[in-house]
């Protein structure tokens, strides 16, 4: 048995906080370095080949060792943008990419901004979950996102504005924001707090105050930073028809749902506090309302084995009530201070070895269907918090390397994305996948290159009519969408681009989205639907208006037979 980790650095130590603030300091005054920076940036722009070492060499050459140390990539981006704004340089996208840090941040087409809610009592008593009085339930104070939230005193405006500024400072477009509100069980927070939190996040994106949430949402339709997706995380037992309507009122478009296991005995042993049937009903209600479904699944819980976990994972796809759109795999970590520690000390619980975990994850990845995005295979918990078991935070990379060695392929969306590759419009083709759930036929429309790279997709839900054998009743679903086909998601991949910017072969600007929506209209009409609804985020409303949709109460709609007909787009 491994020894307990007894000494942990305090992330709120004054010296550590001073280092954090220094690393996130305001931009330098570039005036004393302007000529050297001009020469440096012109050479960055002109070099025919590029590497990270090229930038380090040029910085030392033009700025000297001391100034080169001051001008991190963030500050070089800021200097480049400032010199371009003064008319001394032309702002070139390729040059910006060479300076850019963490290019994968926005490679999936949007800029993710994660913020944390304040510490608040959680309704759960899960035996594996850590408790830190300074953090929302399940979060640890030395996780980077948690440290940022603490330093901002969990203020939603400051967190959102800070993350946008940080993205832009390292050269990323932040016009299209996917806002992820994390921290405990969102549905358990008071609704007044929830409404305030979302409004303040939108105010940061809008760069102006609002008298109400509704006003902030209207302003965001044409704001400097548009909200193209709003994500919350909650528990299955908190999802009711009333809660679903409230989430739509807030503007939520995706729900992260912690189901953890599909075995009631495992859920009971780990004091999860909900049943498998409650998970199934929650997924039904959310799918019927058009939400994107992002489930959390946790192997290595008390009572599980690698074999039982693999069987459990298979139920995600064989159970017609489930079939998530996205999935995070969070192998259970043994953390000090949790009730699970008592079972470990008694010899009743043993964390999987890294080899056991890698083998399980390989087998799981080969089962993920092509219409699901596997976002994580490990939670990024600082290793000093883990008492026993796997401490490798690069487990996904380890798994992928071993799969490649064996000639195995993961077909999940994340592994298919076009990412930074240039798209040739004539190389794209549309195809469709379909699978039934117990309340709908789910269509996955996708645009792919001849090499099989995914440039974009659309999720279209064709609901089954209510009646005998239907697990929901009309009262379970908003009357606004009764009888309507539903677009639950449209996503176009490639680097996030500024709204209205020119295309250089990025999937976002060659007509992929409008082509997918036109195909969805045709498919829904061919299946006898006369209305098509879409669960639109506030920042996407103008986009859908241009495609013939009108804003209703909680959704946008178009009449498939009598509404404005939009000509089939061509890829350009």
């Amino acid at each position: 048995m491994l020894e307990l980790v007894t000494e942990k650095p305090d992330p709120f130590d004054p010296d550590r906080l001073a280092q954090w603030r220094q690393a996130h300091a305001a931009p330098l005054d570039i005036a004393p370095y302007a000529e050297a920076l001009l020469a440096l940036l012109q050479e960055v722009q002109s070099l025919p080949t590029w590497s990270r070492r090229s930038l380090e060499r040029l910085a030392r050459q033009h700025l000297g060792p001391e100034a080169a140390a001051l001008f991190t990539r963030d500050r070089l981006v800021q200097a480049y943008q400032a010199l371009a704004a003064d008319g001394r340089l032309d702002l070139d996208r390729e040059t910006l990419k060479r300076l850019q840090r963490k290019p994968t941040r926005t490679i999936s087409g949007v800029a993710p901004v994660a913020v944390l809610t304040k510490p608040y009592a959680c309704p759960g008593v899960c035996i594996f979950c850590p408790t830190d009085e300074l953090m929302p339930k399940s979060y640890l104070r030395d996780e980077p996102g948690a440290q940022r939230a603490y330093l901002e005193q969990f203020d939603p405006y400051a967190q959102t504005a800070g993350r946008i500024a940080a993205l832009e400072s390292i050269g990323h477009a932040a016009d299209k924001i996917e806002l992820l509100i994390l921290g405990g069980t969102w549905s358990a927070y008071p609704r007044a707090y929830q409404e305030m939190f979302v409004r303040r996040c939108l105010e940061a994106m809008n760069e102006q105050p609002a008298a109400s949430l509704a006003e902030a949402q209207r302003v965001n339709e044409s704001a400097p930073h548009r909200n193209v997706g709003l994500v919350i995380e909650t528990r299955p037992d908190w999802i009711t028809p009333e809660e679903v309507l409230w989430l739509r009122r807030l503007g939520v478009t995706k729900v992260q749902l912690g189901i953890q296991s599909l075995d009631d005995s495992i859920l009971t042993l780990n004091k999860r506090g909900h049943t498998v049937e409650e998970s199934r009903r929650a997924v039904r209600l959310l799918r019927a309302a058009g939400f994107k479904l992002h489930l959390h699944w946790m192997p290595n819980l008390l009572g599980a084995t690698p074999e039982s976990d693999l069987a459990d994972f298979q139920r995600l796809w064989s159970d017609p009530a489930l079939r998530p759109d996205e999935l995070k795999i969070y192998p259970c970590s043994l953390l000090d201070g949790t009730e699970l520690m008592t079972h470990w000390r008694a010899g009743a619980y043993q964390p999987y070895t890294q080899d056991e975990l890698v083998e399980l994850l390989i087998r799981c990845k080969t089962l993920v269907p092509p219409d699901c995005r596997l976002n994580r295979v490990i939670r990024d918990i600082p290793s000093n918090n883990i008492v026993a078991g796997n401490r490798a935070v690069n487990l996904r990379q380890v798994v992928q390397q071993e799969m490649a060695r064996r000639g195995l392929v993961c077909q999940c969306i994340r592994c298919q994305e076009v990412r930074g590759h240039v798209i040739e419009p004539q190389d794209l083709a549309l195809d469709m996948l379909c699978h039934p759930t117990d309340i709908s036929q789910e269509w996955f429309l996708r645009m792919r290159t001849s090499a099989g790279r995914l440039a974009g997709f659309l999720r279209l839900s064709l609901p089954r009519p209510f009646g005998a054998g239907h697990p929901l009743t009309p009262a379970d679903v908003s009357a606004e969408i009764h009888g309507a086909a539903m677009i639950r998601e449209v996503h176009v991949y490639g680097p996030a681009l500024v709204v209205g910017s020119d295309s250089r072969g990025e999937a976002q600007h060659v007509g992929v989205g409008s082509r997918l929506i036109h195909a969805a209209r045709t498919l829904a009409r061919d299946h006898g639907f006369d209305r098509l609804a879409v669960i639109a985020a506030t920042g996407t409303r103008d986009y859908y208006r241009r495609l013939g949709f009108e804003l209703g109460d909680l959704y946008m709609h178009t009449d498939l037979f009598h509404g404005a007909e939009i000509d089939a787009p061509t890829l350009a």
Side-chain angles (χ1 to χ4, degrees), residues 311-327:
D312 200 70
F313 189 82
Q314 290 171 321
R315 285 191 281 271
L316 285 166
W317 320 113
S318 62
D319 188 331
L322 299 173
R323 291 285 305 219
D325 305 316
E326 300 182 19
L327 185 69

Side-chain angles (χ1 to χ4, degrees), residues 330-353:
Y330 281 152
C332 183
S333 294
L334 183 63
L335 304 175
D336 195 15
T338 63
E339 186 179 338
L340 187 58
M341 285 289 296
T342 61
H343 297 274
W344 178 67
R345 290 192 179 101
Y349 175 77
Q350 185 60 45
Y352 299 161
T353 65

Side-chain angles (χ1 to χ4, degrees), residues 418 421-425 427-428 449 455 493 504-507 510 512:
V418 71
H421 293 269
V422 171
I423 296 295
E424 296 294 340
D427 189 39
L428 291 175
T449 68
Y493 284 109
R504 297 187 183 177
E506 295 91 350
V510 296
V512 169

Side-chain angles (χ1 to χ4, degrees), residues 14 40 99 101 117 213 256 278 296 334 380 384 399 423 440 462 480 514:
L40 163 63
L99 299 173
R101 189 162 61 87
T117 50
L213 173 60
Q256 296 196 42
E278 284 175 307
H296 296 179
L334 183 63
D380 188 12
N384 60 287
V399 168
I423 296 295
S440 62
L462 303 181
E480 183 181 352
S514 55

Side-chain angles (χ1 to χ4, degrees), residues 196-429:
M196 177 280 297
F197 199 98
V198 174
R199 174 178 57 81
R200 293 289 286 157
C201 290
L202 289 174
E203 287 176 348
M205 293 183 222
N206 298 343
E207 299 181 358
Q208 64 181 76
S212 66
L213 173 60
E215 180 185 325
Q217 291 171 333
R218 284 193 300 272
V219 172
N220 189 253
E221 293 179 16
S222 57
H225 311 284
R226 300 180 193 179
N227 177 225
V228 299
L230 202 169
V231 189
I232 59 95
E233 54 182 3
T234 192
R235 292 168 52 95
D237 47 324
W238 282 75
I239 295 296
T240 64
E242 295 74 25
E243 178 69 6
V244 166
L245 289 175
W246 171 247
L247 293 177
R248 274 310 297 139
R249 190 72 59 192
L250 293 174
V252 175
T253 57
K254 182 193 297 182
V255 175
Q256 296 196 42
L257 201 63
I259 62 166
Q260 317 307 11
S261 173
L262 295 170
D263 183 325
D264 278 328
S265 64
I266 297 292
L267 292 172
T268 300
L269 272 176
N270 290 271
K271 298 185 180 179
R272 179 60 188 163
H274 65 79
T275 65
V276 174
E277 185 51 42
E278 284 175 307
S279 293
R280 299 172 87 238
R281 177 166 171 79
V283 169
R284 287 189 193 108
L285 289 170
L286 292 166
R287 176 176 279 125
F291 289 92
K292 289 163 279 294
L293 297 161
H294 186 158
L295 303 188
H296 296 179
W297 179 75
M298 185 174 281
N300 202 188
L301 290 168
L302 178 64
T305 65
E307 293 74 23
S308 70
D309 277 333
L310 182 62
D312 200 70
F313 189 82
Q314 290 171 321
R315 285 191 281 271
L316 285 166
W317 320 113
S318 62
D319 188 331
L322 299 173
R323 291 285 305 219
D325 305 316
E326 300 182 19
L327 185 69
K328 284 181 181 173
I329 300 178
Y330 281 152
C332 183
S333 294
L334 183 63
L335 304 175
D336 195 15
T338 63
E339 186 179 338
L340 187 58
M341 285 289 296
T342 61
H343 297 274
W344 178 67
R345 290 192 179 101
Y349 175 77
Q350 185 60 45
Y352 299 161
T353 65
Q354 182 172 323
D355 287 346
E356 287 175 318
L357 198 50
V358 167
E359 188 63 34
L360 173 61
L361 292 173
I362 287 173
R363 298 178 73 182
C364 288
K365 274 177 73 68
T366 60
L367 294 172
V368 179
D371 59 350
C372 179
R373 190 176 198 273
L374 186 53
N375 290 301
R376 286 181 182 269
V377 299
I378 191 75
R379 182 172 169 186
D380 188 12
I381 295 175
S383 59
N384 60 287
N385 292 286
I386 298 173
V387 175
N390 172 72
R391 288 189 173 89
V393 295
N394 67 330
L395 202 60
R396 186 174 203 136
Q397 181 182 12
V398 173
V399 168
Q400 289 173 326
Q401 288 172 345
E402 180 59 21
M403 288 182 72
R405 191 187 69 79
R406 299 184 194 181
L408 299 174
V409 176
C410 176
Q411 59 180 349
C412 89
I413 289 172
R414 190 178 187 273
C415 292
Q416 297 178 66
E417 292 173 15
V418 71
R419 301 176 83 77
H421 293 269
V422 171
I423 296 295
E424 296 294 340
Q426 65 272 18
D427 189 39
L428 291 175

Side-chain angles (χ1 to χ4, degrees), residues 521 530-533 547-550 556-560 563-564:
R521 290 173 64 104
D530 58 9
R531 289 190 305 125
L532 178 62
L547 296 175
F549 289 80
E550 296 179 354
M556 297 189 76
H557 309 262
T558 188
D559 189 315
L560 294 176

